[in-house]
Amino acid sequence: MDDQIKLQKILVTGAAGFIGFHLSKRLLEEGREVVGVDIVNDYYDPAIKEARLSILEPYSGFKFVRADLADRQVMENLFRKESFDGVVNLAAQAGVRYSLVNPQSYVNSNLVGFVNVLEGCRHNGVKHLVFASSSSVYGSNTKMPFSVHDNVDHPVSLYAASKKSNELMSHAYSHLFGLSCTGLRFFTVYGPWGRPDMALFLFTRAILEGKPIDVFNYGKMQRDFTYIDDIVEGVVRVMNRPARPDPAWNGDNPDPGSSYAPYKIYNIGNNQPVELLHFIKVIEDTLGKKADMNLLPLQPGDVPATYANIDDLVRDTGFKPSTSLEEGIPKFIEWYREYFSV
């Protein structure tokens, strides 16, 4: 498309994280420069974050900065010194259930840290800010599939509220300063090097160790599981295509997914919700071992189903995530067995 640009020097925040690692590796393999920022905290085992970084560090185009996004002075200095073409903000305090017990960490990372990123972009000529939102912003919505054109004002966790806040904050900067901002609502990402607090990791470990797994909503939960390579492909395609004002946007009937300002929201999901019990069955089949399941009710902050409408993503980028669980889960388990030597 004629409105694509090539961003050569990119800040990836959360570069030691699951998605940040995979995206950084992809960008480096394309010959781009990546400055990765991560605090490498202990929300989950830092050893896996260090192992991811050890794969990135040999690339000549990679520079790593161990820092907290909430540290205003450090972020100001970093943006001023490096002159980024583009920024992909993936750093965040993740997890829905953790937000019930440690809300302050979400404010520091997801709000204070994010405004420091916005300020850095504003003052240093960044051409495009792409940031991770989440399917959790759909909250109490029940109209399926979830569309970026639907209102999302009823979050059911502080994590979801912080992600919705990022969308609102970036829109304000887009309006005030002409900063091109694109928010990506990710749907249940999984794959090799995945987070140890996510279901696939937890279930695989427990089944291999012969321990029971907690299955919420009695296994009736539905998730739009999206393989990591599909997420990265979507991010790269969007990244090269800065948000533009929508000439059809109308304040009498405001579309939440676009704007008169250079601002856009996309869903990136597999467009195919899967019941949790089927997800578990694919893990069992891959491992050749049955799970011992504790069937439990829906947890506070959880939503019973997610399902992404990806029409805008397909229309604007020509990309449609398509990796099935039957393809993706074996790739994760192969990585898991190799990483943990089991």
Side-chain angles (χ1 to χ4, degrees), residues 95-101 106 136 139-140 155-160 216-217 221 223 296-304:
V96 168
R97 292 178 195 129
Y98 188 64
S99 66
L100 276 62
V101 295
Y106 290 77
S136 67
S140 297
V156 296
S157 70
L158 184 67
Y159 170 68
F216 296 108
N217 203 27
M221 202 95 87
R223 288 290 178 270
L296 299 167
L298 191 68
Q299 292 286 98
D302 268 352
V303 295

Side-chain angles (χ1 to χ4, degrees), residues 145-165:
F146 293 145
S147 168
V148 296
H149 305 293
D150 294 337
N151 179 286
V152 287
D153 281 341
H154 297 87
V156 296
S157 70
L158 184 67
Y159 170 68
S162 74
K163 288 301 193 177
K164 170 67 192 262
S165 300

